[in-house]
Amino acid sequence: MATHSSTDASSNPKTGDHPRRGPFAWLMRAALWSLGLLSAGVLSVLIAVAIAMAVAFPNLPDISDLSDYRPKLPLRVFSADGALIGEFGEERRHLTPIKQIPKVMIDAVLAIEDARFFEHGGVDYKGVLRAALANLGRIKSQGASTITMQVARNVYLSSEKTYTRKIYEILLTFKLEHLLTKDQILEIYMNQIFLGNRAYGFAAAAEAYFGKPLKDLTIAEAAMLAGLPKAPSAYNPISNPKRARSRQLHIIERMEENGFITAEQAAAAKKQELKVKTNSDNSKVHAEYVAEMVRQLVFAQYGEETYTRGLNVYTTLKADHQDVAYKALRRGIMDFERRQFYRGPEKFVKLPSNPQELEEAIDEALDEHPDNGDVMSAVVLEADPKRIKAVRQNGEAIEITAEGLKPAQSGLSDKAPPHIKLRRGR
């Protein structure tokens, strides 16, 4: 019996397989341990986030007032015939209900900011994943903030980039989606967002950049305005036309990709030449003293609320009469000035030789000295008694010769004092 038992043990195949199964079992054991550790790590993070949210939730601001959205609106002063002659307030805004915002403007914003706005519940998880993959695969990064998240951030939170603020932002996003309809959220966004040039909301931006009401915007103009929320100064069509144009073309392509416009409409929009309203725009009614008198009278009655209540004041002044008076006075002053001894340039700036640095120096100098009506500002590149070559902020080169030199003739003389002498950088 003992011998038979020994033979069975020596012929057991399991004993012989041990050396071959050892490495495989070790790998399986290591994989299971790794999976367990990973699961524990993920669970720990989720627990930490849950605790953080539970602590943060009671501290969230009350957002019930957004159901009756009333933003800060400036005091606006009009002529008797309805022309705007003055606007006073921290935020230039024209409150526009969502039903009065044209579809082309909404489509342009959704195309670039949040194409799945009406599909997600505030946080676009597909968008987050897509942005993460894009950021890993390309140098150019993509954001993942939805319109609801931007409303939460712009209305209630600061712009600091911290994990705490992000948690508050996500919690507020869910709260907003629960309290408000999609149309209400979109209406707040379209009226609240800062778009540069003191304009808040797209209705104010349409007036500030194109001098027209929101309802009259074309696809090309809407696409240009839709590029502003990301960086109002960087994509400003007045001060940075090249960058603004590049982003506008990208938005038009996004509108086509999302089915908001046809290929033919996209091609036409790309070809449209935009007429951007500059700081020297002469269409404004110049009645600054009348507007200031109104402001003082209203302030005496309403105090600081003057600048936030959205009051509209209509005066007895007629725009066409005021325009004639303004032009006559200005013409007389300019004729008088031309007969005087040249007073010298506004400022001297050192111009670098590097083309890019030169462009930046010119932009910076002319930012401080914008156009004044039909009096245009420029930086002198070359100057002698027979010719002045200058450049404007938009890159336009100007050459002044013959009769055009008369007002500055004394500044071109070799005997001109240093403070009035016209030369490069003046």
Side-chain angles (χ1 to χ4, degrees):
M1 290 290 290
T3 306
H4 180 71
S5 176
S6 174
T7 304
D8 285 348
S10 62
S11 62
N12 190 342
K14 291 183 179 180
T15 306
D17 284 353
H18 254 321
R20 290 194 300 271
R21 288 195 173 188
F24 178 75
W26 181 86
L27 287 173
M28 283 295 294
R29 197 174 292 113
L32 288 172
W33 269 102
S34 300
L35 184 61
L37 289 172
L38 180 62
S39 300
V42 171
L43 185 61
S44 300
V45 170
L46 291 175
I47 291 172
V49 170
I51 292 172
M53 288 187 170
V55 171
F57 197 83
N59 297 320
L60 291 177
D62 180 17
I63 64 172
S64 58
D65 56 333
L66 279 185
S67 59
D68 184 23
Y69 176 60
R70 293 184 182 181
K72 293 179 181 178
L73 298 172
L75 165 68
R76 306 184 82 203
V77 185
F78 297 89
S79 67
D81 41 354
L84 181 68
I85 61 176
E87 197 170 28
F88 302 92
E90 297 176 10
E91 302 176 1
R92 182 190 298 171
R93 177 185 285 112
H94 310 324
L95 183 59
T96 310
I98 190 67
K99 292 181 179 179
Q100 295 178 22
I101 300 175
K103 185 176 182 298
V104 65
M105 188 69 253
I106 292 174
D107 288 345
V109 169
L110 293 180
I112 193 62
E113 294 293 333
D114 191 356
R116 298 184 65 252
F117 173 70
F118 288 101
E119 300 171 27
H120 61 68
V123 177
D124 186 3
Y125 301 105
K126 289 183 180 179
V128 171
L129 180 60
R130 184 173 59 252
L133 293 174
N135 294 343
L136 286 173
R138 298 190 307 186
I139 296 176
K140 185 178 180 180
S141 64
Q142 289 188 6
S145 288
T146 64
I147 282 177
T148 312
M149 292 170 75
Q150 291 183 57
V151 169
R153 181 167 64 243
N154 291 330
V155 177
Y156 292 107
L157 303 174
S158 66
S159 58
E160 63 175 345
K161 295 184 177 180
T162 63
Y163 290 112
T164 303
R165 196 220 68 186
K166 198 66 180 176
I167 290 172
Y168 275 102
E169 183 180 308
I170 293 172
L171 288 174
L172 276 171
T173 296
F174 291 137
K175 203 171 180 180
L176 285 169
E177 288 278 344
H178 177 72
L179 178 70
L180 306 175
T181 66
K182 286 288 188 179
D183 279 349
Q184 285 177 308
I185 294 170
L186 190 57
E187 180 179 301
I188 294 169
Y189 178 85
M190 300 295 283
N191 283 283
Q192 182 72 23
I193 194 77
F194 176 63
L195 300 170
N197 212 16
R198 286 185 55 241
Y200 287 78
F202 288 93
E207 292 280 359
Y209 292 105
F210 297 114
K212 59 168 63 176
L214 190 61
K215 64 183 178 64
D216 294 338
L217 291 181
T218 64
I219 293 173
E221 291 166 340
M224 181 66 80
L225 295 184
L228 291 168
K230 183 178 181 180
S233 59
Y235 298 111
N236 185 315
I238 297 174
S239 57
N240 287 299
K242 290 181 181 178
R243 293 185 70 178
R245 170 66 173 166
S246 175
R247 184 154 176 81
Q248 178 215 27
L249 293 176
H250 173 60
I251 292 172
I252 292 172
E253 290 171 0
R254 291 281 297 158
M255 292 177 75
E256 182 185 353
E257 289 170 10
N258 284 280
F260 294 136
I261 58 175
T262 65
E264 292 75 17
Q265 288 175 312
K270 289 178 181 179
K271 292 178 182 177
Q272 183 185 342
E273 186 175 344
L274 301 186
K275 294 180 180 178
V276 178
K277 182 181 175 182
T278 63
N279 293 328
S280 61
D281 193 277
N282 293 319
S283 61
K284 179 185 175 183
V285 179
H286 289 279
E288 287 84 353
Y289 287 101
V290 175
E292 172 58 19
M293 183 176 68
V294 171
R295 185 200 68 80
Q296 291 179 13
L297 289 171
V298 175
F299 186 84
Q301 183 171 350
Y302 292 98
E304 290 299 327
E305 286 189 358
T306 296
Y307 309 119
T308 59
R309 286 188 59 163
L311 298 171
N312 292 333
V313 180
Y314 289 83
T315 66
T316 57
L317 180 145
K318 292 186 177 180
D320 55 347
H321 294 180
Q322 181 66 19
D323 187 51
V324 171
Y326 174 80
K327 288 179 178 178
L329 177 62
R330 190 177 181 86
R331 185 166 54 249
I333 292 173
M334 294 303 293
D335 288 344
F336 174 80
E337 186 66 25
R338 290 187 185 96
R339 295 193 296 269
Q340 306 308 304
F341 190 79
Y342 178 61
R343 302 173 192 271
E346 290 286 336
K347 183 181 179 180
F348 177 79
V349 292
K350 187 176 181 180
L351 298 180
S353 55
N354 181 283
Q356 185 174 352
E357 293 178 1
L358 174 63
E359 186 176 336
E360 291 174 358
I362 291 170
D363 283 344
E364 185 177 341
L366 296 181
D367 274 341
E368 299 174 8
H369 300 279
D371 295 347
N372 185 342
D374 54 357
V375 179
M376 299 184 296
S377 60
V379 173
V380 174
L381 299 180
E382 297 178 23
D384 60 51
K386 294 184 178 181
R387 183 182 66 171
I388 293 175
K389 288 185 70 175
V391 63
R392 299 203 1 93
Q393 191 170 28
N394 60 5
E396 177 189 359
I398 298 175
E399 186 169 310
I400 306 171
T401 58
E403 292 294 315
L405 294 174
K406 279 190 174 181
Q409 199 68 57
S410 55
L412 295 169
S413 169
D414 293 336
K415 298 179 180 179
H419 68 282
I420 69 166
K421 174 69 174 175
L422 274 172
R423 60 183 186 274
R424 180 178 170 84
R426 288 261 171 151

